[in-house]
Amino acid sequence: MNLFGHNKEQHIIDLFMKGDAFAMDELYAEYADYLTKVCSQYIENQENLRDVLQEAFIRIFTRIHTFEYRGKGSLKAWLTKVVINESLYFIRENDRSLFVDKKDMLSLSDIEAEEPDINSLSIHQITDTIQKLPPGYRTVFNLYVIEGKSHKEIAKLLNIKPDSSASQFHKAKNMLAKMLKEQNIYRGYNNERKMA
């Protein structure tokens, strides 16, 4: 049973407004796991992920007084935005080469794949496969598909051209389709072996 009814967010904001010493602990306990998952969509290395999350929580705790509660879900949305912005800042500052096509990357013709049958895959399998995309592809894919950003918005966030964003997304989508299709083939092969 939830001690705070269905409005845990409002309770946490009220603690901050009162200057309660436990406000940070409450927010961290409620959202740390979720925000770690959000951050891991963009930052792969565990040490970097911890650093980015630490910076995000510092920003959250120092700017929570600027947050305006607008109903259930608004705090979670704001926290998510802070973590994504910190992740993108880290990417921009630490690896500008993520969004430049490299000779050792697969060419577009190498990764063209027909649409996979995703109905036989779990959400966990799909999200794990997205995590296996190269960092630049994964970042653009997440921003476009999950966050609903346009290529123009992504370009501004990542300091790249809109055409680069569109190209990265197209390659990410094709690579993801190929990887998911290979998972289906592998699963089908294993199922056939079990039946034999």
Side-chain angles (χ1 to χ4, degrees):
M1 182 177 154
N2 189 344
L3 294 174
F4 307 106
H6 61 278
N7 203 343
K8 180 80 174 198
E9 288 184 334
Q10 183 66 60
H11 170 72
I12 291 171
I13 295 302
D14 288 345
L15 290 176
F16 274 101
M17 294 307 130
K18 292 175 189 172
D20 191 306
F22 293 107
M24 290 183 198
D25 293 336
E26 289 280 334
L27 186 140
Y28 188 84
E30 184 70 19
Y31 295 105
D33 289 343
Y34 167 74
L35 294 175
T36 300
K37 288 177 188 170
V38 169
C39 190
S40 70
Q41 293 174 345
Y42 299 92
I43 308 296
E44 193 172 20
N45 176 286
Q46 289 300 306
E47 187 176 317
N48 293 340
L49 182 119
R50 281 191 297 274
D51 291 345
V52 170
L53 279 174
Q54 180 178 352
E55 289 301 316
F57 275 107
I58 290 169
R59 187 167 304 277
I60 288 165
F61 294 144
T62 58
R63 298 213 175 153
I64 192 92
H65 67 280
T66 66
F67 170 72
E68 277 185 52
Y69 183 70
R70 298 176 187 212
K72 191 174 181 182
S74 62
L75 177 60
K76 187 175 184 179
W78 182 75
L79 297 172
T80 302
K81 185 176 180 180
V82 171
V83 169
I84 290 172
N85 286 342
E86 281 300 316
S87 299
L88 297 178
Y89 177 78
F90 178 85
I91 290 168
R92 278 194 311 267
E93 293 300 309
N94 293 287
D95 201 347
R96 296 181 185 279
S97 65
L98 288 178
F99 306 101
V100 177
D101 290 332
K102 298 175 185 166
K103 289 179 183 175
D104 61 346
M105 287 292 204
L106 295 172
S107 71
L108 191 56
S109 61
D110 291 336
I111 59 172
E112 289 291 341
E114 61 187 60
E115 295 292 321
D117 175 21
I118 61 170
N119 293 328
S120 62
L121 298 171
S122 71
I123 294 293
H124 182 70
Q125 289 171 308
I126 294 169
T127 55
D128 281 353
T129 306
I130 291 170
Q131 288 301 104
K132 293 175 186 168
L133 290 170
Y137 290 3
R138 184 179 64 244
T139 299
V140 171
F141 185 87
N142 285 332
L143 287 170
Y144 188 82
V145 174
I146 297 171
E147 300 302 321
K149 303 281 185 201
S150 70
H151 289 301
K152 188 174 181 180
E153 291 170 314
I154 294 169
K156 189 174 179 182
L157 286 169
L158 299 175
N159 225 8
I160 60 176
K161 295 178 182 177
D163 289 349
S164 295
S165 174
S167 172
Q168 295 278 314
F169 173 71
H170 183 69
K171 291 176 181 180
K173 188 176 83 167
N174 286 328
M175 183 179 281
L176 183 61
K178 183 177 182 194
M179 291 162 65
L180 290 171
K181 188 174 182 186
E182 286 171 357
Q183 281 188 24
N184 276 338
I185 292 169
Y186 181 74
R187 281 185 61 222
Y189 174 75
N190 280 344
N191 289 341
E192 287 175 15
R193 287 185 64 195
K194 287 177 186 175
M195 295 173 79

